[in-house]
Amino acid sequence: MEMITSASQMQSTCKQLTRSGKTIGFVPTMGYLHEGHLALMTKARKENDIVVISVFVNPLQFGPHEDLDQYPRDVEQDMELAKQVGVDYFFYPTVDEMYPKALTTKLTAITRVNALCGKKREGHFDGVVIVLMKLFNIVFPDRVYMGLKDAQQVAVVQGLVDDYQLPTRIIPIATVREGDGLAKSSRNVYLTDEERKLAPILYESLKKAERLIHLGERSADQVVACVKDELIKTNAVIDYVDIYAYPTFERIEKLAGQLVLAVAVKFSQARLIDNVIIKVDEV
């Protein structure tokens, strides 16, 4: 595995690989890798000649009062884990390398963002699409692997690819979970021992609501209430519980088609998100 810190070197390397007929699988990350990231890399390894990952904590995704400086980082551990699953190139640019000067143009995420995390994190998804457009133009990936733990991000990035006819495919990968159902996340390290015991209720509440839908419930309000009734058993503050059409994130009242049911809660030092994607037939 080769580490590259220069955007121009990474770009020239990937251009050469593409010209030689190699397929490139790409996993963009913010580092502090865990089993969820490794599942993306493993899938990329199976489906491509070359696997590239990026580790870059993108400042444009963080609001003024969010945890940019506190975001966990361990590049040596990240490199070791990436090497174990067969990554070929580890792209590790600095902020100055990715943003050497002030942007003269800007991408803006218009739809799919006024819900869930995007509703309260103004500009967050603008930062996501800006950095990914840059990364896609550096790596030239044939396939990009993204986890469905952040289903809204997957939907927004798919919109970016569709809108600009980018020559890559987004490959969504199911959320990787702990044995008790808690979604793997870099932020889980912020949970206290007691909070860690309570955190699996997020997924349990989503699965209970999913069962309710499959039993015939078609009221969005009733499904949301079911999840909230479970979440109040924790000491966490509920940020949101909501259900939307997926991937459009259009508001619905009667449940039908493909949906995303999502939650976010705030513990003392950790904000956790989770979701389930459900296909619902008319009844």
Side-chain angles (χ1 to χ4, degrees):
M1 185 180 75
E2 180 179 353
M3 175 193 268
I4 296 178
T5 59
S6 161
S8 61
Q9 182 184 348
M10 188 77 256
Q11 188 177 58
S12 63
T13 298
C14 291
K15 278 184 179 178
Q16 185 175 0
L17 290 166
T18 299
R19 287 174 184 144
S20 67
K22 302 291 188 182
T23 58
I24 298 176
F26 179 44
V27 182
T29 83
M30 293 207 300
Y32 212 71
L33 303 181
H34 52 68
E35 288 92 336
H37 297 109
L38 299 184
L40 306 181
M41 297 173 205
T42 300
K43 182 72 168 175
R45 179 72 283 162
K46 291 177 180 178
E47 296 182 348
N48 302 275
D49 299 316
I50 301 295
V51 177
V52 179
I53 78 161
S54 61
V55 170
F56 178 63
V57 181
N58 177 33
L60 299 190
Q61 292 174 222
F62 290 78
H65 303 295
E66 294 181 341
D67 59 348
L68 173 60
D69 292 336
Q70 288 74 39
Y71 195 85
R73 296 163 170 87
D74 190 339
V75 68
E76 290 184 3
Q77 175 179 280
D78 290 346
M79 289 186 66
E80 182 58 34
L81 291 172
K83 189 183 300 182
Q84 289 175 13
V85 293
V87 169
D88 296 292
Y89 294 96
F90 187 102
F91 182 41
Y92 184 56
T94 63
V95 173
D96 287 342
E97 186 67 24
M98 289 297 291
Y99 304 112
K101 58 183 180 180
L103 297 174
T104 60
T105 61
K106 185 178 180 183
L107 284 171
T108 300
I110 300 169
T111 64
R112 308 184 179 187
V113 296
N114 295 318
L116 305 184
C117 293
K119 191 174 183 179
K120 294 186 176 181
R121 301 180 70 191
E122 185 177 355
H124 166 73
F125 284 112
D126 294 348
V128 171
V129 296
I130 289 168
V131 75
L132 286 179
M133 182 65 91
K134 289 176 73 70
L135 287 169
F136 293 170
N137 283 317
I138 292 169
V139 177
F140 308 111
D142 294 275
R143 301 174 186 90
V144 177
Y145 297 81
M146 303 187 73
L148 280 169
K149 183 174 76 73
D150 193 340
Q152 186 174 22
Q153 178 167 271
V154 174
V156 169
V157 177
Q158 184 63 65
L160 172 72
V161 169
D162 293 343
D163 289 347
Y164 293 93
Q165 298 173 301
L166 302 179
T168 190
R169 285 180 57 206
I170 302 301
I171 310 295
I173 304 296
T175 302
V176 177
R177 300 182 179 278
E178 303 283 359
D180 56 10
L182 178 64
K184 299 275 188 178
S185 171
S186 302
R187 290 184 169 90
N188 289 350
V189 297
Y190 297 140
L191 295 169
T192 67
D193 290 344
E194 183 61 28
E195 289 169 346
R196 177 62 186 82
K197 294 175 184 177
L198 294 170
I201 293 179
L202 271 73
Y203 188 51
E204 292 167 11
S205 69
L206 292 171
K207 296 301 289 183
K208 183 175 181 179
E210 183 178 15
R211 290 192 293 270
L212 186 65
I213 292 171
H214 289 316
L215 288 172
E217 181 60 67
R218 292 297 179 266
S219 166
D221 289 343
Q222 289 299 316
V223 170
V224 167
C226 172
V227 176
K228 287 183 176 179
D229 286 345
E230 294 297 307
L231 292 180
I232 60 175
K233 297 175 183 178
T234 74
N235 61 351
V237 176
I238 298 174
D239 189 350
Y240 61 71
V241 177
D242 225 328
I243 189 164
Y244 292 91
Y246 190 81
T248 62
F249 279 89
E250 294 173 346
R251 177 69 68 183
I252 50 175
E253 295 182 3
K254 184 178 180 182
L255 306 183
Q258 184 164 265
L259 315 169
V260 59
L261 174 61
V263 303
V265 301
K266 295 178 181 176
F267 286 97
S268 58
Q269 299 295 323
R271 180 181 182 275
L272 303 184
I273 63 172
D274 205 348
N275 70 79
V276 288
I277 295 175
I278 308 166
K279 291 184 178 179
V280 181
D281 297 326
E282 292 279 5
V283 296

